[in-house]
Amino acid sequence: MCAYRDEDPRLHDLKTKIRVVPNFPKPGIMFQDITTLLLDPKAFKNTIDMFVERYKGKNISVVAGIEARGFIFGSPIALAIGAKFVPMRKPKKLPGKVISQEYILEYGRDCLELHVGAVEHGERALVVDDLIATGGTLCAAMDLLERVGAEVVECACVIELPELKGRERLNGKPLYVLVECFECCQ
Amino acid sequence: MRVVCCSNSSLAVTATLPSFPCLGPRFLPRIAIPISIPSSAIRFLPLRSTASPRQITTMASKNAQDQQDSRLESISSAIRVIPDFPKPGIMFQDITTLLLDTKAFKDTIDLFVERYRDKNISVVAGIEARGFIFGPPIALAIGAKFVPMRKPNKLPGEVISEEYSLEYGTDKMEMHVGAVQPGDRALIIDDLIATGGTLGAAIKLLERVGVHVVECACVIELPELKGRDRLGDKPLFVLVKGMA
């Protein structure tokens, strides 16, 4: 069951384009698949437009996209608002000097990396991913940006799973999402 | 023809061509390719997929050519080379610095969009993960679907796979069943073509389900690795050529 954030008619269309795949990547998870949204050029464009309308004119100089689905949304947003695009990647993907941030998963740990010098002190940043679940990845991304002195203005995702309380993990940083989905984990 | 290269390049430079300041030892020779070139110019490397050469006879078209070249120059100079990544001996062409230059990044997308907007492309297939940075803005601008081509076990639901060979061993590429339809006209995007293995696998995947692959498009080509030869009869369009 998914709720709409408000009555923007574009959101209704968007919600119908997201496909739910049961038991992926493991039993009990109802995976929110945005690839079907990308197959509808108008819905995909509407998605980007809604973010761009919110962030244009807010002096955002950096859009940080989280590998890999954050690249799909982050890159067009960056281009449209005239910001740099900075990929936040899994370990050993970025060449050259990086800084890393470890974060906790349900079982074990993972790590996110950012290029040294990509983001400068005082820059205003937006962090983009397709979905926020527990908030671990977004939190690591924010930490990395703050460590280099950037100001994280907001985190933006297409989908939120509110029951997993990811929002609370963002240390008070605002989170903006287009669609909320409930009962996605059993 | 305008060329951006280092003085230690192994390529010959004729005296009649304009010269450009050397980019410095940090950069390896890289050649910015104009989209179309006068037939009287000397070409260093054959351009198999560009529009046929035409004479530049008017000031208007000459200005357009100059604008084209300056966009390519700034794109080329925004790309960073990292030696010995991911392993010794590899000169890695890093496009992340291009993404930090908002004008050059926009120009990159514009150059692809200008080429493909009137070609009736219904699908842009982007190869994980750097193809996800260039593919979606192109897809959005030309009104095409975007289809991610991914490493194994990333795409949920039903997929089809294509195995391809690496220098040592094999890898696999996957695409969603039903993402594309027979008769779709596709463009395949990645940041760079090296040996052509990945692009070749993407072509096969799409053709297996009846899609017509119109062209492969990359920001960078490493011609010495002959990736172009692995694409069968599919044309390849690139903005910049680099040394491997």
Side-chain angles (χ1 to χ4, degrees):
Chain A
M1 180 182 78
C2 289
Y4 320 139
R5 191 140 188 90
D6 57 37
E7 294 308 311
D8 190 325
R10 295 176 292 184
L11 285 169
H12 175 74
D13 186 45
L14 191 172
K15 176 256 164 188
T16 63
K17 301 294 177 194
I18 296 167
R19 173 173 76 150
V20 180
V21 181
N23 301 313
F24 183 91
K26 51 185 198 195
I29 307 280
M30 306 294 281
F31 189 88
Q32 304 289 320
D33 181 18
I34 49 89
T35 64
T36 37
L37 169 65
L38 310 176
L39 297 180
D40 181 333
K42 186 160 175 298
F44 183 21
K45 183 179 184 306
N46 284 341
T47 305
I48 300 301
D49 285 351
M50 283 187 277
F51 288 120
V52 171
E53 285 159 22
R54 182 176 179 84
Y55 298 114
K56 201 165 202 163
K58 300 275 201 309
N59 253 329
I60 302 216
S61 57
V62 176
V63 173
I66 298 183
E67 164 166 23
R69 289 183 290 264
F71 292 3
I72 298 174
F73 297 97
S75 161
I77 294 168
L79 284 159
I81 69 175
K84 308 191 289 200
F85 179 72
V86 171
M88 319 270 294
R89 297 209 69 174
K90 295 284 161 76
K92 301 193 176 38
K93 303 289 187 74
L94 290 172
K97 265 180 105 184
V98 297
I99 57 168
S100 319
Q101 184 73 39
E102 227 180 42
Y103 60 102
I104 315 270
L105 296 172
E106 193 182 5
Y107 301 108
R109 296 165 177 272
D110 207 338
C111 195
L112 211 57
E113 293 185 342
L114 168 69
H115 262 140
V116 167
V119 178
E120 288 164 37
H121 189 95
E123 292 210 74
R124 286 167 55 79
L126 175 68
V127 183
V128 176
D129 207 354
D130 65 321
L131 181 145
I132 175 173
T134 61
T137 324
L138 273 172
C139 196
M142 276 178 17
D143 285 345
L144 273 172
L145 290 163
E146 289 180 339
R147 272 167 61 190
V148 296
E151 180 201 342
V152 176
V153 174
E154 195 155 88
C155 294
C157 302
V158 180
I159 304 162
E160 178 186 9
L161 308 182
E163 290 157 338
L164 298 182
K165 304 192 193 302
R167 205 177 269 266
E168 294 167 24
R169 236 175 128 170
L170 302 184
N171 285 333
K173 281 295 174 193
L175 169 71
Y176 176 74
V177 305
L178 301 181
V179 171
E180 292 171 330
C181 283
F182 299 91
E183 294 169 6
C184 295
C185 293
Q186 286 145 12
Chain B
M1 172 172 158
R2 302 175 68 163
V3 176
V4 180
C5 67
C6 260
S7 57
N8 61 355
S9 165
S10 58
L11 299 168
V13 179
T14 69
T16 55
L17 292 172
S19 60
F20 283 80
C22 182
L23 295 171
R26 195 161 75 85
F27 291 87
L28 285 188
R30 201 181 293 110
I31 300 169
I33 305 166
I35 303 294
S36 53
I37 52 172
S39 57
S40 56
I42 296 166
R43 305 171 206 189
F44 287 133
L45 291 161
L47 303 168
R48 277 157 51 172
S49 65
T50 55
S52 49
R54 54 177 167 78
Q55 298 290 345
I56 296 190
T57 53
T58 66
M59 278 306 290
S61 62
K62 183 178 194 314
N63 285 337
Q65 184 73 39
D66 287 344
Q67 276 168 31
Q68 196 81 280
D69 292 345
S70 79
R71 285 190 293 181
L72 289 169
E73 274 175 50
S74 59
I75 289 165
S76 181
S77 51
I79 297 167
R80 171 172 79 151
V81 179
I82 305 276
D84 302 320
F85 183 90
K87 51 186 199 195
I90 308 273
M91 304 298 284
F92 189 88
Q93 305 274 334
D94 180 19
I95 47 89
T96 64
T97 40
L98 170 64
L99 310 176
L100 299 179
D101 180 335
T102 51
K103 182 171 184 305
F105 183 22
K106 183 179 184 302
D107 287 344
T108 303
I109 300 302
D110 286 350
L111 282 162
F112 289 122
V113 170
E114 284 160 22
R115 183 177 179 83
Y116 296 114
R117 64 159 35 111
D118 297 321
K119 301 276 199 302
N120 255 328
I121 308 267
S122 54
V123 176
V124 172
I127 299 183
E128 166 165 21
R130 288 182 289 264
F132 290 6
I133 298 173
F134 298 98
I138 296 169
L140 285 160
I142 69 175
K145 309 190 276 202
F146 178 72
V147 172
M149 316 283 277
R150 299 209 67 173
K151 294 278 159 80
N153 306 316
K154 303 290 188 73
L155 289 171
E158 244 198 302
V159 297
I160 58 169
S161 338
E162 181 76 27
E163 222 176 59
Y164 58 102
S165 36
L166 300 169
E167 193 181 5
Y168 299 109
T170 60
D171 207 340
K172 209 159 52 150
M173 178 181 296
E174 293 185 343
M175 177 175 76
H176 264 139
V177 167
V180 292
Q181 261 72 56
D184 264 329
R185 286 169 55 80
L187 175 64
I188 306 177
I189 302 275
D190 207 354
D191 66 320
L192 180 145
I193 175 172
T195 61
T198 324
L199 276 171
I203 293 169
K204 290 203 179 73
L205 261 179
L206 290 163
E207 291 191 324
R208 270 166 60 190
V209 293
V211 168
H212 172 61
V213 176
V214 174
E215 195 157 89
C216 295
C218 302
V219 180
I220 305 162
E221 178 187 12
L222 305 180
E224 289 173 3
L225 299 180
K226 303 191 193 301
R228 219 176 255 267
D229 299 343
R230 251 175 118 168
L231 306 182
D233 60 353
K234 295 304 167 193
L236 171 72
F237 173 73
V238 303
L239 301 182
V240 165
K241 296 191 179 187
M243 309 305 277

